Amino acid sequence: MSESTSTSGIQSVLQEDRVFAPSAAVSAAAHVHSLDAYKALHARSIADPDGFWGEIAKELHWYSPWSKVLEWDQPDAKWFVGGKTNLCYNCVDRQVDAGHGDEPAIIWEGEPVGGGGAEVRTLSYADMQRGISRFANGMKSLGVKKGDIVTVYMGMVPELAMAVLACARIGAAHSVIFGGFSAQAIADRVVDASSQTIITCDGSWRRGNIVPLKENVDEACKMLGEKAPANVIVVKRCENEIGWTAGRDYWWGELCEGQSEECACEPMDSEDLLFVLYTSGTTGKPKGIMHTTGGYMVYTYLTSKMTFDLRPDEGHVYWCTADVGWVTGHSYIIYGIMPNRVPTVMFEGAPNHPGPDRFWDVVARHKVTHFYTAPTAIRAFMKWGDEHPQKHDLSSLQVLGTVGEPINPEAWMWYHRMIGGERCPIVDTWWQTETGGHMITPLPGAVPTKPGSCTVPFFGVDAAIVTEQGEELGADEGGLLAIRKPWPAMLRGILGDRDRFVATYWDDIKKPDGTRFYKAGDGARRDKDGYFWIMGRVDDVINVSGHRLGTMEVESALVSHETVVEAAVVGMPHEIKGTGIAAFCTLASGVTADDALRKTLRAHVGNEIGAIAKPDLIRFTDVLPKTRSGKIMRRLLRDIASGKEGSGDTTTLEDKGVLEQLRKNDKG
Ligand code: WT7
């Protein structure tokens, strides 16, 4: 560790000097063989985006060509203007048409392990084509059509992949809601998207228990009343007992019965909506991030190919452990991977069920070559002990990836040694729901890695560390991470909220001449070698186990409980989650502040949002630290939650006695 560096109030204390270069063998086989080759390609992609992306896009299928690669009228980008394509076609039919119909597209493994081992289903591209087509026809029979938004609330079953691909096939957009979210969360999102159809499962397996998905959907529909969707399609998975509303509910199996195995792909305009995915922001309401067809397709295809160095016909088996409920699952289980014709593993369960070696068992049995997971999982594996990975043969692994939050160098080194056997490059991929695909990442054969750094920008990405005036900062100076040029998979907006789109991403970093940069919301620095080091969010968003939560969302959930008058939520360091949630609550008079209430409030937040939002620490207080103008001073709360004495400036604090009280009250 060296001394810290600081600019614009953003501090960086991490200094890591180890460098790991790819082996000669890895580099020789890779798409990009060296750092110089990467640099030349990157320079070209920035200088001539039209030429660069136009060539890549031609590797995929289009019904009719684009007239222009990029139209940029900040902050609005159009990519492959006027081009017509279909993403389902490029994931599935293109492989079948080229004679690869019998090859495995999806290798699915269920969670329960019975006497005969876990259930495994391997679906070929031809199986996918048939299954998707029948389901697409089934949806059409219910009146689902191009331009609709279909809500998907499912467990990790192959039908989930079929569902989203069937939407893409007929030109309906999807809105996938993570299966861990609550009925309230479903209701909010269904209304926002005016969704008329929900696809769900009876239940989903999670550590041997059944998550009652259909029950949650029923509850959401009840909350929605007249605004409830007209159709609920249910995949039978756990065979748990469920309620049934005739005329609204349909079994997936029955809906598909008798449907034709042929369903033509709808030629979609490059800028037609592909999906909406809700993510947290700094205000209470989640925002529906919009991604369109052509640019997203080309970008996720190329990032998958380059970041993981995927090549067909070389025995690659790719596994991303994310849930399709998050953007990682959209881009790097389905949409980017399938066009590369490498089988993608889909796993239903948890990493520690039935035992803490489950992931390594899956890797060994399926001979996984590419493994992509999150730092929070890696830290959990470290804690569970080396004996679990050591029990299994992990020699099939070639490339390891991480995503979701900064990875601490200790976890990086453990991953490198224990899982990668010191031979697998690690790609630490920085990106966001809004960016659609990897933005800053090493390429396995080309870019030497440094533990804790996501390294260098991907092709076409003009990333910089800047001030709010758009001035670029020097080496190792902390600042705002910004993107200066449009990239193909960038978000096209927030559903129904143009002002919020502009205000959140494009208003804060502006050059004096009016040029706007995309504001990622992360603080970062760039070292003297041009490597990026992400320091974390600079707004009121916290990253819990790699999943984004707005502190305001958790606060609104807390104050919606009758006992809580006011709440302030901040992040705090957490051994496994990276960042945990600390909540400071002021209670209504007469309410007893005790552990029973803590339990009630945690459960309440679980009901309002979902289990991931439950606070790790709840402190009760008579007052919150505020400025004279009434703004809660979160910085001080962060110090208290992380056990720091808090040497920062408190001159604007209205009532200094508050801090003493908060520190004393340290019952978690
Ligand atoms: C935020 C985006 C992208 C899919 C998962 C999360 C953080 C993401 C990294 C990384 C450091 C990272 C950032 C970002 N983040 N990847 N490799 N290193 N931080 O998607 O929910 O949209 O969250 O996750 O803070 O802004 P998301």
Side-chain angles (χ1 to χ4, degrees):
M1 297 270 169
S2 79
E3 70 200 84
S4 66
T5 49
S6 164
T7 314
S8 354
I10 297 172
Q11 275 221 338
S12 170
V13 289
L14 182 76
Q15 184 76 46
E16 170 62 60
D17 297 320
R18 288 170 288 201
V19 180
F20 294 83
S23 72
V26 168
S27 293
H31 289 299
V32 184
H33 306 303
S34 68
L35 191 59
D36 284 344
Y38 153 78
K39 282 182 181 160
L41 272 166
H42 185 263
R44 187 201 164 206
S45 71
I46 298 294
D48 176 22
D50 288 22
F52 181 87
W53 290 111
E55 276 168 34
I56 301 297
K58 282 182 192 148
E59 293 178 22
L60 295 165
H61 171 270
W62 295 78
Y63 298 99
S64 47
W66 51 92
S67 58
K68 224 169 150 190
V69 171
L70 168 66
E71 213 172 272
W72 177 229
D73 178 12
Q74 63 166 14
D76 299 302
K78 285 186 182 153
W79 284 87
F80 310 107
V81 183
K84 299 265 189 288
T85 185
N86 185 288
L87 196 32
C88 180
Y89 183 90
N90 277 290
C91 286
V92 176
D93 302 64
R94 185 169 143 261
Q95 319 298 9
V96 175
D97 290 352
H100 304 291
D102 293 339
E103 293 175 17
I106 292 183
I107 300 169
W108 175 83
E109 177 161 322
E111 185 188 85
V113 180
E119 186 188 351
V120 173
R121 282 171 70 187
T122 301
L123 294 117
S124 67
Y125 293 101
D127 293 333
M128 289 297 287
Q129 190 182 41
R130 285 188 290 266
I132 292 164
S133 296
R134 290 175 68 185
F135 182 63
N137 285 326
M139 279 200 292
K140 279 187 181 171
S141 76
L142 298 180
V144 178
K145 55 182 191 314
K146 185 173 174 176
D148 289 355
I149 301 180
V150 172
T151 297
V152 177
Y153 179 71
M154 301 171 76
M156 286 285 284
V157 288
E159 288 82 358
L160 168 52
M162 288 188 190
V164 294
L165 286 162
C167 289
R169 192 171 190 90
I170 64 175
H174 52 75
S175 159
V176 182
I177 303 174
F178 172 56
F181 280 132
S182 66
Q184 183 65 56
I186 303 172
D188 293 345
R189 286 157 178 75
V190 163
V191 169
D192 191 74
S194 314
S195 192
Q196 279 305 307
T197 302
I198 301 191
I199 310 171
T200 188
C201 302
D202 50 1
S204 161
W205 291 110
R206 191 72 189 164
R207 292 196 176 87
N209 299 315
I210 294 173
V211 183
L213 297 177
K214 171 65 162 61
E215 197 180 303
N216 293 346
V217 168
D218 287 346
E219 204 184 317
C221 289
K222 209 181 288 164
M223 291 171 176
L224 288 167
E226 284 186 351
K227 288 184 179 155
N231 313 305
V232 176
I233 305 171
V234 190
V235 172
K236 192 176 278 182
R237 170 62 189 142
C238 299
E239 311 206 355
N240 49 316
E241 225 169 90
I242 56 170
W244 199 259
T245 303
R248 183 199 73 180
D249 295 353
Y250 304 86
W251 285 112
W252 171 292
E254 289 175 12
L255 186 67
C256 291
E257 225 167 71
Q259 296 292 347
S260 162
E261 286 179 356
E262 266 163 51
C263 172
C265 293
E266 185 73 30
M268 300 298 287
D269 188 90
S270 182
E271 284 301 332
D272 276 338
L273 186 65
L274 177 70
F275 66 82
V276 174
L277 185 58
Y278 286 86
T279 189
S280 297
T282 50
T283 69
K285 196 172 170 272
K287 35 192 188 184
I289 303 299
M290 298 199 284
H291 282 289
T292 56
T293 306
Y296 176 83
M297 170 177 84
V298 172
Y299 196 78
T300 54
Y301 159 73
L302 188 72
T303 47
S304 298
K305 178 173 171 175
M306 294 296 177
T307 302
F308 301 118
D309 214 21
L310 295 181
R311 298 181 297 270
D313 306 316
E314 293 194 16
H316 288 175
V317 176
Y318 167 93
W319 180 21
C320 164
T321 68
D323 191 288
V324 174
W326 309 108
V327 73
T328 308
H330 285 59
S331 300
Y332 298 112
I333 293 179
I334 301 174
Y335 289 125
I337 305 301
M338 295 185 75
N340 276 289
R341 192 161 52 83
V342 163
T344 178
V345 174
M346 211 175 154
F347 176 58
E348 182 182 39
N352 55 352
H353 187 83
D357 65 333
R358 182 65 188 268
F359 271 16
W360 318 123
D361 180 42
V362 171
V363 167
R365 272 186 295 108
H366 297 290
K367 299 207 168 33
V368 169
T369 53
H370 294 66
F371 179 73
Y372 191 30
T373 196
T376 184
I378 298 168
R379 286 190 295 266
F381 299 140
M382 285 173 76
K383 200 173 166 190
W384 294 337
D386 296 354
E387 63 271 29
H388 304 296
Q390 279 166 346
K391 266 201 298 232
H392 297 276
D393 176 8
L394 305 180
S395 63
S396 57
L397 290 169
Q398 297 177 14
V399 175
L400 303 177
T402 132
V403 59
E405 51 174 314
I407 181 166
N408 44 312
E410 299 85 324
W412 196 102
M413 288 305 299
W414 184 88
Y415 200 29
H416 171 69
R417 269 189 294 109
M418 198 53 58
I419 307 304
E422 295 183 1
R423 73 179 183 280
C424 304
I426 295 179
V427 290
D428 175 354
T429 61
W430 177 85
W431 60 295
Q432 310 177 295
T433 305
E434 292 87 344
T435 70
H438 302 150
M439 297 295 279
I440 307 183
T441 176
L443 306 182
V447 179
T449 51
K450 304 183 188 185
S453 169
C454 54
T455 77
V456 296
F458 191 74
F459 302 133
V461 175
D462 182 10
I465 309 296
V466 299
T467 64
E468 284 175 353
Q469 290 71 43
E471 292 159 57
E472 189 155 6
L473 291 163
D476 286 326
E477 288 186 329
L480 300 172
L481 177 56
I483 313 295
R484 294 186 286 206
K485 290 209 166 71
W487 64 101
M490 66 189 262
L491 78 165
R492 300 301 197 265
I494 295 173
L495 186 67
D497 204 340
R498 170 78 188 172
D499 292 348
R500 193 175 177 194
F501 166 64
V502 179
T504 307
Y505 304 107
W506 303 100
D507 268 352
D508 288 345
I509 309 177
K510 238 187 268 181
K511 295 220 302 190
D513 70 2
T515 307
R516 294 159 184 258
F517 296 156
Y518 171 81
K519 179 192 172 194
D522 281 327
R525 72 181 164 96
R526 177 139 71 162
D527 71 18
K528 59 185 187 330
D529 299 326
Y531 278 45
F532 285 81
W533 299 78
I534 307 296
M535 284 140 46
R537 303 287 309 189
V538 292
D539 50 14
D540 290 332
V541 167
I542 48 182
N543 199 317
V544 181
S545 303
H547 300 312
R548 202 196 308 184
L549 283 170
T551 52
M552 281 280 289
E553 262 178 284
V554 184
E555 287 165 8
S556 333
L558 284 165
V559 296
S560 74
H561 194 268
E562 63 212 11
T563 58
V564 180
V565 174
E566 194 173 27
V569 166
V570 294
M572 62 172 192
H574 188 285
E575 200 192 345
I576 301 292
K577 299 179 180 179
T579 306
I581 303 173
F584 295 84
C585 301
T586 306
L587 300 177
S589 62
V591 175
T592 318
D594 58 9
D595 281 341
L597 181 60
R598 287 195 174 89
K599 222 171 137 191
T600 307
L601 292 176
R602 280 170 49 81
H604 177 70
V605 174
N607 282 332
E608 289 293 302
I609 306 173
I612 49 164
K614 289 183 182 172
D616 298 284
L617 176 112
I618 297 181
R619 282 204 192 170
F620 300 120
T621 168
D622 295 334
V623 261
L624 289 165
K626 287 184 187 167
T627 62
R628 274 177 216 103
S629 61
K631 207 169 175 297
I632 294 174
M633 295 182 73
R634 289 161 196 284
R635 175 172 54 82
L636 300 179
L637 294 176
R638 274 193 288 269
D639 284 349
I640 292 167
S642 59
K644 275 191 231 150
E645 265 310 298
S647 52
D649 182 18
T650 56
T651 45
T652 52
L653 188 63
E654 190 210 34
D655 173 1
K656 300 211 167 46
V658 174
L659 285 186
E660 266 325 294
Q661 199 210 328
L662 282 166
R663 280 205 195 95
K664 268 194 232 135
N665 172 10
D666 59 359
K667 266 199 294 167

